[in-house]
Amino acid sequence: MSQKETPSHLRNIWGWLIPLGVFGLLTAVTMLIALRRNDGHLIYAQDDAYIHLAMAKNLAFHGVWGVTRYAFSASSSSPLWTAMLALGMRLVGNHASLPFWYNLALGVALLILGERFLCRRGLTVPQRVLALCLLIVAMPLVPMVFSGMEHILHTVVMLAFLLALETVWETPQASKTRGLLLGLAALLPLVRYEGLFLVAVTAGLLIFRRRWGLGIGLVALAALPVAALGLWYVRQGWWFLPSSVLVKGSLGSGLGPVSLFSLILRRFLTNLALAPQMGFLLLGLLIGLITQWKRAQRLNGEVMLMLVVLGTSLLHLALAAVGPMMRYQAYLVASSLLVLAGPLFNLDLRRWFSTPALAHTAQALVAALILALAVLAGGYMTLNTPRATTNIYHQQVQMARFVRQFYNQSTVVLNDIGAVSYFTDAHVVDLAGLATREVAQARLNGTFGPQIISDLTRRADAVMIYTAWFPEELPAAWQIVGEWTIPENLICGDDTVTFLAPRADTAATLRTNLRTFAPYLPALVQQRGDYLNP
């Protein structure tokens, strides 16, 4: 049967079936390599994944919203993801694999939604297959699965929002879709607080077009869950926003307009330097926007979506962060690629060149220039995902094993809290401030130092931190007992974890415990310290 004779529904299925096969194959190969490197254990490529798992465990089985079961802490920047994990634990038990299976299912949903999005652009099946395969690599989708975090969920909700927005923009009387759009606006900040950027840009464009009711409704519904959670956090003695948002994203207080603008500009330029592929995608969005505007001569659905993605990207780069594994900007890379697919495939350069062949060559070069860095960066991260999981296994997971064996219900001091909090029942003092309010407050006030650390760690039995993070802030009385150094570090905050005794009476016990545990560390972890001496 020829392609012309093939029923359209059979032809269309290949538009998402082939990308699903590519996604499944890459995920399976990555899993096999990672399991082999990690002694058969499923390990996530981010310690932050275990923060969500720890909070979900404590919510599901102890009724506590916190990193430990002993106290409340507003440490999650994705309340919905944490709640989804807690629900899964209540239904099937405390399984560390839950984030992996969630992300696998969400990856499938993303590719199906992406195929529908590209269908609306009128792309052929081969074009849709190519675009989705590029998305898998550039996002990058497989590393997001192994991150164990909410970034695929964020991208799926954003894409559903864009699809609903396009329908509502072109067909204002579509009441059901308008209701869906409003519901998704309420959901976005619960997935990640950066969802507010998308809602703000969309509402601004709607109000500009005098669609006041819908624009104000989007803002109100997005603000409602943020306000409800914020008031709950405040009642628990924390801040209106999660500590992770405040500590990692603070712009500072008491700044004048000029200083604030300068700081925002520096953050924007720093983010572009850290994620240069975003600069090329911004350029592509501008080219696509001009091309589509000239073609449509009006603010149609496609132009609207490009404006929304462009505005959201600019706000994120100015006010938020780009991060390791490309996870913070993953939703922007995916949405940019999808809205750019149509303009890039249909870019008409014939009037600039003497022959169609030259025009097509130039079109391919423009597309390659815009997408090359995103694909290369995503491809690099995809290839190195097993290495990232091994970093976490060699460092954070071994720290958790050590704490579970010797300090399971004791107080320990950390700066990476995820794996230890999830795999043990230890009391945690978090020197990064995500789980310890006093540390976060001191960091926000600029008063963090040795005295505050000493006050918070008087009852601690062991300290496991990156000393390079605290060059002038550690108490002088702390005694270094040992160090673990991992090879080929890609994802951890430092390749060396230092073990310190916070008081003289804890040093001998810590030394003995490290000596006892030493034979059980992976062979590639380099150990140093006098505890190794017989």
Side-chain angles (χ1 to χ4, degrees):
M1 182 180 290
S2 68
Q3 184 173 354
K4 291 184 178 179
E5 295 170 331
T6 305
S8 61
H9 68 279
L10 293 179
R11 293 199 305 271
N12 289 339
I13 196 173
W14 296 108
W16 57 266
L17 195 58
I18 293 175
L20 279 183
V22 172
F23 171 51
L25 179 62
L26 287 174
T27 302
V29 170
T30 302
M31 174 64 84
L32 289 173
I33 297 172
L35 289 175
R36 185 175 180 180
R37 294 177 61 120
N38 302 326
D39 298 328
H41 299 290
L42 169 61
I43 304 295
Y44 296 110
Q46 290 279 322
D47 185 63
D48 288 3
Y50 295 100
I51 296 178
H52 287 289
L53 279 167
M55 294 188 69
K57 177 188 71 172
N58 296 321
L59 178 62
F61 303 115
H62 305 291
V64 176
W65 184 267
V67 172
T68 72
R69 65 178 181 172
Y70 307 108
F72 177 95
S73 67
S75 308
S76 173
S77 58
S78 180
L80 181 61
W81 184 249
T82 302
M84 286 171 58
L85 292 175
L87 177 61
M89 288 184 180
R90 290 293 296 176
L91 293 175
V92 302
N94 181 9
H95 297 290
S97 61
L98 273 172
F100 173 80
W101 295 113
Y102 278 176
N103 275 333
L104 203 60
L106 287 164
V108 172
L110 174 61
L111 292 176
I112 293 173
L113 274 176
E115 200 272 343
R116 182 178 177 183
F117 189 95
L118 296 171
C119 276
R120 288 192 179 184
R121 316 270 83 74
L123 300 186
T124 64
V125 171
Q127 289 173 335
R128 299 201 298 271
V129 168
L130 176 58
L132 290 176
C133 288
L134 288 173
L135 182 147
I136 290 170
V137 177
M139 183 180 172
L141 187 54
V142 173
M144 294 306 104
V145 172
F146 285 88
S147 76
M149 299 184 71
E150 70 282 353
H151 303 290
I152 304 177
L153 175 63
H154 187 193
T155 309
V156 168
V157 176
M158 179 176 182
L159 184 53
F161 183 91
L162 293 176
L163 284 167
L165 174 62
E166 185 176 28
T167 299
V168 170
W169 187 262
E170 297 285 9
T171 315
Q173 64 272 22
S175 57
K176 290 184 178 179
T177 307
R178 186 164 59 250
L180 173 63
L181 184 69
L182 291 166
L184 291 168
L187 204 60
L188 275 164
L190 293 176
V191 179
R192 280 196 68 82
Y193 280 73
E194 289 95 328
L196 292 171
F197 299 152
L198 174 61
V199 175
V201 173
T202 302
L205 288 169
L206 287 167
I207 291 172
F208 175 75
R209 298 293 289 182
R210 300 185 178 182
R211 297 178 68 170
W212 297 89
L214 184 56
I216 294 172
L218 288 174
V219 172
L221 283 170
L224 185 61
V226 174
L229 279 172
L231 292 174
W232 179 45
Y233 294 161
V234 170
R235 287 192 63 182
Q236 299 295 325
W238 285 63
W239 299 278
F240 188 81
L241 293 174
S243 57
S244 56
V245 174
L246 291 172
V247 173
K248 293 181 180 180
S250 175
L251 289 172
S253 57
L255 296 175
V258 175
S259 298
L260 183 60
F261 175 79
S262 175
L263 184 58
I264 290 173
L265 180 61
R266 285 202 305 272
R267 174 169 289 186
F268 180 84
L269 295 175
T270 300
N271 282 337
L272 280 183
L274 292 171
Q277 71 272 27
M278 290 304 304
F280 284 86
L281 290 174
L282 290 176
L283 174 64
L285 288 168
L286 285 172
I287 293 173
L289 192 58
I290 294 169
T291 302
Q292 292 300 103
W293 178 263
K294 287 183 176 180
R295 181 177 296 141
Q297 293 297 311
R298 66 184 182 91
L299 188 56
N300 62 8
E302 289 190 54
V303 175
M304 172 69 169
L305 294 194
M306 267 186 282
L307 277 172
V308 167
V309 174
L310 176 62
T312 303
S313 299
L314 291 172
L315 278 180
H316 182 107
L317 292 171
L319 301 176
V322 297
M325 289 188 71
M326 301 171 58
R327 62 190 182 99
Y328 293 136
Q329 65 267 33
Y331 78 109
L332 297 173
V333 173
S335 57
S336 296
L337 196 149
L338 288 172
V339 299
L340 279 174
L344 288 179
F345 278 119
N346 298 316
L347 190 62
D348 188 357
L349 300 177
R350 286 175 296 183
R351 63 175 177 164
W352 301 99
F353 296 92
S354 57
T355 66
L358 286 174
H360 291 314
T361 301
Q363 177 187 357
L365 288 174
V366 170
L369 175 66
I370 291 168
L371 300 178
L373 271 182
V375 172
L376 288 173
Y380 173 82
M381 199 63 245
T382 301
L383 291 173
N384 282 279
T385 295
R387 174 181 160 192
T389 66
T390 302
N391 292 161
I392 300 299
Y393 179 63
H394 281 168
Q395 192 177 91
Q396 277 80 7
V397 172
Q398 301 309 315
M399 290 165 58
R401 290 178 59 230
F402 177 76
V403 171
R404 186 170 58 191
Q405 183 170 343
F406 299 107
Y407 299 98
N408 192 48
Q409 293 186 335
S410 302
T411 299
V412 295
V413 182
L414 308 164
N415 54 232
D416 262 9
I417 59 175
V420 171
S421 298
Y422 175 61
F423 289 112
T424 80
D425 290 318
H427 297 259
V428 168
V429 177
D430 176 18
L431 295 189
L434 301 185
T436 303
R437 188 192 185 284
E438 295 83 356
V439 171
Q441 185 68 70
R443 287 188 174 279
L444 292 172
N445 293 342
T447 59
F448 183 71
Q451 186 58 51
I452 288 175
I453 295 175
S454 295
D455 292 342
L456 291 173
T457 59
R458 285 174 181 170
R459 298 182 180 180
D461 295 298
V463 179
M464 292 166 279
I465 60 171
Y466 305 136
T467 53
W469 285 18
F470 311 96
E472 300 176 355
E473 297 162 338
L474 297 181
W478 284 11
Q479 177 184 343
I480 295 177
V481 177
E483 294 178 334
W484 293 350
T485 299
I486 62 172
E488 300 181 339
N489 182 35
L490 174 69
I491 208 69
C492 295
D494 198 310
D495 60 1
T496 299
V497 172
T498 302
F499 292 77
L500 303 101
R503 302 183 310 278
D505 62 305
T506 63
T509 301
L510 178 57
R511 188 176 295 109
T512 299
N513 292 339
L514 284 169
R515 183 183 301 119
T516 303
F517 192 76
Y520 302 100
L521 269 178
L524 291 175
V525 178
Q526 181 182 355
Q527 303 182 61
R528 290 187 297 273
D530 61 2
Y531 72 89
L532 295 171
N533 300 324

